[in-house]
């Protein structure tokens, strides 16, 4: 294996390890020493790849949002309709946000503004554009109401994506973030739908439940 390839693999492992720690404890409380220890490497080696914690946090956010964007685009292309696309995205994000500490985004905003800017660019750019695209698709397919004010609905949906990161609304000791996200997304989806769309949602959810039951049987 070439030296550059080894370095790239090491960076990826560090990013994924750091993300695991950040999602559990928040960003502020996790030190570079703890990340190095979890990796089984010296802090000196860690600093060969990242100048400081701020750079590491920014790279973690970039890595995470890129993964989300790639999968969302895949679902956009592979799904048979707008509802299937949204439900596939929901299932992925439910796993992504499972057991995530809601203080993560607050930590980014307060202590790592560069990383927070990457996250906001993702939300205000890619995510908002994706919401608009799904709304247009669903309306064209007759699955969403044709009188939707997309500018209002899309922005409202964007804000509900963010609300689970606010502990004053959903304290981490009482609410699991992925469950909050799932409930908000399902309410959003049912609120958009025509009768045709409502029936299709029910069919997809029934199929999903049957699949999950079969896996645990």
């Amino acid at each position: 294996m070439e030296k550059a390839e080894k370095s790239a693999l090491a960076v990826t492992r560090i990013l994924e390890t750091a993300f695991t720690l950040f999602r559990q404890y928040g960003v502020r409380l996790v030190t570079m020493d703890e990340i190095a220890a979890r990796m089984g490497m010296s802090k000196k080696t860690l600093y060969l790849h990242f100048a400081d914690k701020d750079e590491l946090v920014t790279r973690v956010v970039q890595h995470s949002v890129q993964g989300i964007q790639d999968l969302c685009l895949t679902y956009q292309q592979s799904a048979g309709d707008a509802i299937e696309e949204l439900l596939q995205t929901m299932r992925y994000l439910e796993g992504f946000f499972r057991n995530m500490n809601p203080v993560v985004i607050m930590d980014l905003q307060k202590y790592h503004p560069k990383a927070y800017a990457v996250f906001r660019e993702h939300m205000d750019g890619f995510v908002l554009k994706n919401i608009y695209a799904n709304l247009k698709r669903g309306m064209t397919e007759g699955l969403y109401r044709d009188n939707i004010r997309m500018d209002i609905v899309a922005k409202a949906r964007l804000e509900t994506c963010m609300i689970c990161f606010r502990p004053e609304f959903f304290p981490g000791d009482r609410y699991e973030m992925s469950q909050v996200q799932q409930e908000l997304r399902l309410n959003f989806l049912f609120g958009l739908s025509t009768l045709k769309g409502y029936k299709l949602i029910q069919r997809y959810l029934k199929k999903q439940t049957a699949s999950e039951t079969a896996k645990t049987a």
Side-chain angles (χ1 to χ4, degrees), residues 72-149:
C72 286
L73 291 175
T74 297
Y75 295 146
Q76 202 174 65
Q77 295 167 6
S78 64
D81 53 68
I83 289 174
E84 184 180 23
E85 175 194 336
L86 193 54
L87 287 173
Q88 286 178 340
T89 303
M90 286 167 59
R91 283 196 295 273
Y92 167 71
L93 291 176
E94 181 185 350
F96 185 86
F97 288 115
R98 185 172 290 119
N99 300 320
M100 182 176 285
N101 193 319
V103 304
V104 167
I105 300 303
M106 294 175 63
D107 283 352
L108 293 181
Q109 188 173 11
K110 188 171 183 178
Y111 302 105
H112 300 280
K114 290 181 181 178
Y116 182 72
V118 172
F119 174 75
R120 280 305 333 182
E121 183 181 356
H122 164 69
M123 296 298 296
D124 298 332
F126 177 85
V127 173
L128 188 60
K129 181 180 178 181
N130 208 46
I131 294 170
Y132 269 107
N134 184 265
L135 289 173
K136 290 179 181 178
R137 180 179 183 179
M139 292 168 70
T140 299
E141 294 169 343
L143 301 174
Y144 299 161
R145 293 179 288 105
D146 60 7
N147 59 346
I148 293 171
R149 276 286 305 272

Side-chain angles (χ1 to χ4, degrees), residues 7 31 44 64 131 160 194:
S7 178
T31 67
K44 181 179 179 180
S64 298
I131 294 170
T160 58
T194 61

Side-chain angles (χ1 to χ4, degrees), residues 96-97 100-106 119 123 160-170 177 180-181:
F96 185 86
F97 288 115
M100 182 176 285
N101 193 319
V103 304
V104 167
I105 300 303
M106 294 175 63
F119 174 75
M123 296 298 296
T160 58
C161 290
M162 294 297 300
I163 198 171
C164 67
F165 292 105
R166 298 176 63 181
E168 68 269 29
F169 283 98
F170 298 106
M177 188 183 296
V180 173
Q181 286 280 20

